[in-house]
Amino acid sequence: MTAQFGSETSDAGEFQRQEDAFRDWISADGSTPWPAVSGRYHLYVSFACPWASRTIVVRHVKGLEDAIGMTVVDPIRDERGWAFRAGSGHTADPINGFRFLSEAYQATEPNFDGRVTVPALWDKESKRIVNNCEDDICRMFNDAFNAFAQNKEVDLFPKDIAEEQEKLANFIYDNINNGVYKAGFATRQRPYEISCRKVFEALDQLEKRLAQSRYLFGQRIVEADWRLFCTLVRFDVVYHGHFKCNVRRIIDYPNLQGYLMDLYQQPGIAATVNFDHIKRHYYMTHTEINPTRIVPIGPALDLTRSHGRGRLEN
């Protein structure tokens, strides 16, 4: 079988995600060459991508919309990569007039030959990508840009749970965030089964944890919650069918489903989720998995009904 991303697939049929290419750090204290300045940086994202979506969510919950601009790419990605086009929920590039995100990568590193990914945080002054790692971008939005945040009191990385949150975030990334991709992009049966089983073992563990706690760490919502949310909200829509993660759906987990609805109903979060972009991107872009490019009309989801999570005191 042909792999969707051949350079990121092992001889054994395992998907091995490439490393992020740009990891420069923006600081508020002058300790790096990249100062936190309102209006200087611009976020290139896709509503379809869970990694990019996490940066969209953090930008929103911190209240950084006025300090950091954002442009959404077309969810349909062809052999030329992510494109800037005017359409429903996406626009042309107002900053550089780029037609494709690859132009931003080439402007930053002319010899770049990896896969062009979102998110990408662009510096309008030096005219290059500062960082394309969602973990870094979320951390910088929380810390370095706090002076420009409308919601300065929101701290997604509380120091008192720093070590525990990092451990849980790594667990969620390895087994769930990236786990669904390792299952979906596997080209042989064994690596698919290994990855898929790990996804559901991890979901089972989190279902138990969320039986006792409203969020992952009690009553406060932290970065690990949004990290998990961005996969959960896509799960029944694309990962269950398209990536063959079909042992169970999220709606089959009472606590995870309630938790998903609880987070979705937080102020402004529904506007960061675009199911049309999500479905069209996965089903029309991954042609090695779905060569017909037919986009399913389902499932029917209602994330706005009562979630009942308020009963949990922890």
Side-chain angles (χ1 to χ4, degrees):
M1 177 182 173
T2 305
Q4 185 65 46
F5 299 117
S7 64
E8 296 172 70
T9 304
S10 73
D11 292 340
E14 302 161 315
F15 175 61
Q16 299 172 331
R17 185 176 297 278
Q18 69 178 19
E19 295 293 325
D20 295 313
F22 309 116
R23 302 288 298 273
D24 288 313
W25 200 264
I26 297 169
S27 62
D29 60 4
S31 59
T32 70
W34 312 99
V37 177
S38 179
R40 174 168 170 169
Y41 302 96
H42 194 82
L43 188 63
Y44 288 132
V45 292
S46 166
F47 281 133
C49 170
W51 322 113
S53 289
R54 181 150 39 102
T55 66
I56 299 171
V57 167
V58 172
R59 173 179 176 265
H60 168 71
V61 298
K62 287 294 294 181
L64 287 168
E65 289 91 342
D66 293 338
I68 299 165
M70 186 178 82
T71 298
V72 179
V73 297
D74 189 330
I76 306 303
R77 186 185 65 205
D78 58 21
E79 67 279 358
R80 297 169 295 177
W82 296 107
F84 296 104
R85 302 186 187 99
S88 177
H90 54 91
T91 66
D93 173 23
I95 303 302
N96 299 294
F98 292 148
R99 293 180 58 222
F100 296 95
L101 185 59
S102 59
E103 296 172 59
Y105 276 69
Q106 289 160 3
T108 307
E109 175 49 68
N111 297 319
F112 180 80
D113 63 355
R115 181 161 56 90
V116 171
T117 61
V118 284
L121 189 60
W122 178 265
D123 176 21
K124 293 189 283 188
E125 185 168 308
S126 63
K127 300 188 184 306
R128 67 184 299 275
I129 295 170
V130 175
N131 200 296
N132 74 329
C133 171
E134 67 284 348
D135 291 345
D136 293 352
I137 293 171
C138 289
R139 172 70 75 167
M140 291 186 291
F141 283 1
N142 187 77
D143 298 343
F145 286 93
N146 198 51
F148 310 106
Q150 293 180 11
N151 303 320
K152 293 180 175 61
E153 74 286 354
V154 173
D155 184 5
L156 298 175
F157 297 91
K159 290 183 173 57
D160 62 306
I161 58 166
E163 186 175 344
E164 189 180 356
Q165 181 175 202
E166 183 178 6
K167 182 179 179 181
L168 183 59
N170 289 335
F171 172 81
I172 291 170
Y173 171 80
D174 290 336
N175 296 285
I176 298 176
N177 300 146
N178 199 40
V180 294
Y181 282 88
K182 289 190 287 186
F185 287 154
T187 58
R188 295 189 181 179
Q189 187 71 26
R190 180 169 170 75
Y192 154 73
E193 289 191 12
I194 290 171
S195 297
C196 192
R197 292 184 196 284
K198 286 183 178 179
V199 168
F200 287 96
E201 288 168 3
L203 290 174
D204 291 346
Q205 287 187 45
L206 293 174
E207 172 72 4
K208 292 178 181 177
R209 183 182 184 119
L210 291 167
Q212 307 297 326
S213 175
R214 181 169 181 177
Y215 306 113
L216 292 175
F217 291 93
Q219 289 288 334
R220 54 183 167 179
I221 303 173
V222 296
E223 192 269 351
D225 291 293
W226 295 122
R227 175 184 295 262
L228 180 56
F229 169 82
C230 289
T231 297
L232 294 185
V233 79
R234 288 163 173 76
F235 201 96
D236 292 359
V237 176
V238 290
Y239 301 144
H240 178 269
H242 184 60
F243 278 176
K244 304 179 183 68
C245 293
N246 60 0
V247 176
R248 284 176 288 280
R249 302 163 300 169
I250 299 305
I251 202 170
D252 299 322
Y253 288 98
N255 296 312
L256 281 169
Q257 178 67 16
Y259 167 83
L260 168 60
M261 294 191 296
D262 189 354
L263 291 174
Y264 183 82
Q265 292 171 31
Q266 295 298 310
I269 295 302
T272 73
V273 179
N274 188 314
F275 286 116
D276 172 63
H277 281 215
I278 291 167
K279 289 169 66 171
R280 287 195 293 127
H281 168 72
Y282 281 89
Y283 284 103
M284 296 183 70
T285 293
H286 300 154
T287 52
E288 297 297 336
I289 300 175
N290 186 40
T292 65
R293 305 181 82 217
I294 291 173
V295 180
I297 61 173
L301 292 178
D302 182 5
L303 299 179
T304 63
R305 58 191 175 86
S306 177
H307 52 73
R309 298 291 293 171
R311 73 184 190 284
L312 295 169
E313 296 181 0
N314 292 325

